[in-house]
Amino acid sequence: MSKQEYGRSCGTCARPFTVFRWNPGAGARFKTTVICQTCAKIKNVCQTCLLDLEYGLPTQVRDTALALQHEAPTSDINREYYAQNMESKLEGNKSGLDSGRASSGGKEMLKQLARSDPYYKRNRPQICSFFVKGECNRGNECPYRHERPANNELAHQNIQDRYHGQNDPVARKILTTHAENQGLKPPDDVTITSIFLSSLSPDSTDVSIRTRVLQSLPTVQPTQIKSVVHVAKSRCAFVNFKERADAELAAQAWANGLEIDGETVGIKWGRSRTGVTKPSSLPPV
């Protein structure tokens, strides 16, 4: 292992930090730290792979399941100032992640998705850029992989999206697959933007349901919820979103259930209206 003080700038706050570089095993590529220790503590992630230290999952998956929202700025002007202030608060091994108030359904979801076995493919050498161009003349002695890179959504990843948990293709694939396994596959009708909640508490009201929905979806603004229709007699409710993407996010976050007023409610997609015919236009008499 090699250590270089102030060897590079942090991939998130752009401050110089001490870089560690090592080889995890024979035939593997060298690994290096890409973010500083302060930024890693703020999100409780690894300095190299940027995955959560407890569950081994992308931050977007963890934050969606636990309904967490961090105030870390993404602009170049504020992120260095924010990191300097947080550095004094996170002395020692203290982490900036507070998941004590997270719902039991979210924690259970993370336990199901957590990776328990090592993922050795992450240590493979990088793809040889000269081989892709057809110019590599090293043959079997080339230390890089002679493969064609996959041109799909997972090939477009960056440090900022992984760290801040925004538009991460890996996290999106994990959340979508888990929701489908829980019976919450998005319907083919893209006009459906409603989520059906069943087995509500007798004490639930329109206000308590809306408040809990917004708490569990920190990235969804109150104006993005079209309406909340509560049927107290049947102990159910419909949460109608304005955009289909917000409804899909809710289904992913609530795949293991949602706690409202002390009760774990059932989650299903709403159904499209069938049998509704448009009134025929009659000629004037």
Side-chain angles (χ1 to χ4, degrees), residues 3-281:
K3 175 182 176 181
Q4 184 180 7
E5 294 187 1
Y6 306 111
R8 64 182 296 178
S9 60
C10 176
T12 57
C13 69
R15 299 186 306 164
F17 73 103
T18 301
V19 177
F20 292 90
R21 190 171 182 266
W22 71 97
N23 192 329
R29 65 174 175 177
F30 276 86
K31 309 298 285 292
T32 183
T33 52
V34 295
I35 63 174
C36 66
Q37 195 175 43
T38 301
C39 291
K41 288 181 179 180
I42 293 174
K43 286 282 192 175
N44 194 38
V45 296
C46 173
Q47 287 184 258
T48 302
C49 63
L50 275 68
L51 298 178
D52 180 73
L53 293 178
E54 183 176 357
Y55 300 101
L57 295 170
T59 56
Q60 184 173 342
V61 176
R62 180 199 64 195
D63 295 350
T64 301
L66 300 181
L68 298 177
Q69 186 177 20
H70 294 273
E71 299 178 354
T74 57
S75 63
D76 297 339
I77 301 175
N78 297 327
R79 60 185 183 181
E80 184 175 352
Y81 175 76
Y82 176 81
Q84 290 177 352
N85 290 341
M86 292 298 296
E87 188 173 10
S88 59
K89 298 179 181 180
L90 302 177
E91 296 180 354
N93 296 325
K94 188 177 180 181
S95 172
L97 182 67
D98 183 16
S99 59
R101 299 181 180 179
S103 63
S104 59
K107 293 182 179 180
E108 183 64 27
M109 173 180 171
L110 292 180
K111 290 180 180 179
Q112 295 178 5
L113 296 175
R115 186 186 298 275
S116 57
D117 299 328
Y119 187 64
Y120 294 108
K121 286 185 177 181
R122 195 181 298 130
N123 297 332
R124 293 185 303 172
Q126 298 280 13
I127 295 178
C128 179
S129 59
F130 290 95
F131 174 79
V132 176
K133 299 176 183 178
E135 300 176 357
C136 183
N137 54 10
R138 292 187 178 185
N140 296 331
E141 297 180 357
C142 183
Y144 300 98
R145 285 186 292 151
H146 283 190
E147 298 178 7
R148 295 289 179 180
N151 188 15
N152 52 27
E153 185 183 22
L154 299 180
H156 304 284
Q157 305 179 37
N158 60 74
I159 294 177
Q160 292 291 335
D161 290 344
R162 172 62 56 83
Y163 179 80
H164 293 286
Q166 300 173 351
N167 302 322
D168 188 353
V170 177
R172 190 181 304 114
K173 180 180 179 181
I174 294 175
L175 291 172
T176 301
T177 303
H178 180 70
E180 292 178 358
N181 293 337
Q182 298 296 323
L184 291 173
K185 181 179 180 180
D188 296 332
D189 188 357
V190 295
T191 61
I192 299 178
T193 59
S194 301
I195 300 294
F196 176 70
L197 309 179
S198 60
S199 303
L200 288 168
S201 171
D203 300 329
S204 296
T205 62
D206 294 2
V207 176
S208 65
I209 295 173
R210 178 183 288 271
T211 302
R212 184 67 185 100
V213 166
L214 291 174
Q215 289 176 349
S216 62
L217 302 173
T219 58
V220 176
Q221 300 298 323
T223 56
Q224 295 174 274
I225 297 180
K226 186 177 180 179
S227 63
V228 175
V229 181
H230 179 214
V231 185
K233 184 177 180 180
S234 302
R235 295 176 57 188
C236 65
F238 290 90
V239 181
N240 303 313
F241 296 89
K242 291 183 179 180
E243 302 292 338
R244 172 62 176 257
D246 296 330
E248 293 181 359
L249 176 63
Q252 295 170 359
W254 304 338
N256 283 69
L258 177 66
E259 293 182 6
I260 300 179
D261 296 325
E263 295 286 341
T264 302
V265 302
I267 309 296
K268 290 184 179 180
W269 275 94
R271 298 181 180 179
S272 59
R273 296 182 179 180
T274 57
V276 179
T277 59
K278 297 182 180 180
S280 58
S281 57

